[in-house]
Amino acid sequence: MRDVLVKAVDEDKFEENLDMITEILSDKSLFINEQAMVDFDRYFHQEFMDHIHKWAAKFTSGVLHFGCTTTQRAESDHSALKNSLIKLLPLQMSFGRVHTYLEAFDRSYNEIVVEETKRIDVVVVSEHKLKMLLGKVGKIALFNIRKELYKAHNTNTEEECHCKVRINFNLPCCHTLISIDREYLYLKDIPSRWWLTDENIDDNAERNDEALATQSLAYKP
């Protein structure tokens, strides 16, 4: 019931869904007795309607924060930075700690990039459409896209899209993937926050990559 209201894409849709819920709550046949209906109506208004000003999903669902529609990246970095600091330090030492943290973070990140570039899960490798992204896109993105590719076979393109992988991570969901009528997905189809390295995208590079992929598929040792 909460999702019906929170996921309303605009005010008109919200009011429409609210009218539907109000109608349901007034149907005595759905409750064991009248007191149960009164109790549930009170619960609904106390737990949901009293906090309506906090329902920001319809406003933030299209706003990106560091490449995603949640504050997960900012909060994660903020938490890691705070954990590396001691509360009571002279200002100069605090800046030194921040510098040390950033240097360590950069080293760790580069190690992850190297590992994910060279080590690719066999499940992801088996998905032909992802071949152009192997070694170029992070494994979390590849796993999520692979799941969406599988879901796309049974997706109704007429239905409204509320896919979490698109809303939370800005990755192509099953609805988006259906519209990409190509043999392969390319870097330009994936938000740059998921890239392992910065690359210049052009059509010639994509054609060269596709040629190499075709050769590798045809090659049998």
Side-chain angles (χ1 to χ4, degrees):
M1 183 179 294
R2 178 182 62 85
D3 285 349
V4 171
L5 295 174
V6 171
K7 292 182 179 180
V9 294
D10 54 40
E11 190 172 347
D12 290 339
K13 187 64 176 178
F14 177 86
E15 294 296 338
E16 178 186 335
N17 292 345
L18 181 59
D19 289 341
M20 177 187 66
I21 292 173
T22 302
E23 184 178 347
I24 292 173
L25 293 178
S26 64
D27 186 353
K28 295 182 180 181
S29 65
L30 298 177
F31 301 91
I32 57 175
N33 54 49
E34 187 171 348
Q35 184 59 45
M37 183 177 73
V38 172
D39 290 343
F40 190 83
D41 183 74
R42 183 187 302 112
Y43 165 79
F44 174 73
H45 283 87
Q46 288 180 349
E47 298 298 324
F48 295 103
M49 298 306 294
D50 284 355
H51 305 285
I52 192 171
H53 60 283
K54 296 182 179 179
W55 296 3
K58 66 176 181 178
F59 302 109
T60 61
S61 60
V63 180
L64 297 180
H65 308 277
F66 296 105
C68 55
T69 53
T70 68
T71 57
Q72 56 174 298
R73 298 188 82 187
E75 290 174 358
S76 176
D77 288 345
H78 185 223
S79 175
L81 180 58
K82 282 200 305 182
N83 290 335
S84 68
L85 296 173
I86 299 174
K87 291 183 178 180
L88 297 177
L89 276 180
L91 186 59
Q92 186 175 355
M93 291 185 65
S94 294
F95 278 113
R97 287 262 186 165
V98 172
H99 181 71
T100 301
Y101 164 77
L102 292 175
E103 284 185 327
F105 177 86
D106 190 53
R107 288 194 299 271
S108 298
Y109 178 77
N110 289 330
E111 289 173 0
I112 292 173
V113 168
V114 171
E115 182 178 357
E116 292 200 12
T117 301
K118 295 182 178 180
R119 297 180 61 182
I120 302 172
D121 193 282
V122 65
V123 175
V124 175
V125 173
S126 65
E127 181 56 61
H128 178 74
K129 204 173 185 72
L130 298 179
K131 196 165 187 66
M132 294 296 95
L133 303 178
L134 301 182
K136 299 179 179 180
V137 174
K139 65 180 181 181
I140 294 178
L142 292 174
F143 280 130
N144 277 288
I145 296 171
R146 184 182 181 277
K147 287 193 293 185
E148 294 301 308
L149 283 169
Y150 180 78
K151 287 166 57 179
H153 297 297
N154 300 309
T155 297
N156 179 8
T157 55
E158 300 298 322
E159 67 184 7
E160 192 174 357
C161 174
H162 294 298
C163 295
K164 292 183 178 180
V165 71
R166 178 186 62 81
I167 295 174
N168 293 338
F169 303 115
N170 196 29
L171 286 170
C173 67
C174 53
H175 299 88
T176 307
L177 292 168
I178 290 175
S179 65
I180 302 177
D181 187 21
R182 282 189 262 105
E183 183 177 5
Y184 302 111
L185 292 175
Y186 294 101
L187 272 180
K188 68 180 183 181
D189 301 313
I190 313 299
S192 58
R193 70 154 288 195
W194 297 104
W195 298 359
L196 294 176
T197 55
D198 293 331
E199 295 193 20
N200 293 322
I201 300 176
D202 59 65
D203 292 336
N204 290 330
E206 289 180 354
R207 283 196 291 270
N208 291 336
D209 280 349
E210 188 167 339
L212 290 172
T214 304
Q215 292 173 12
S216 65
L217 288 172
Y219 173 72
K220 295 181 179 180

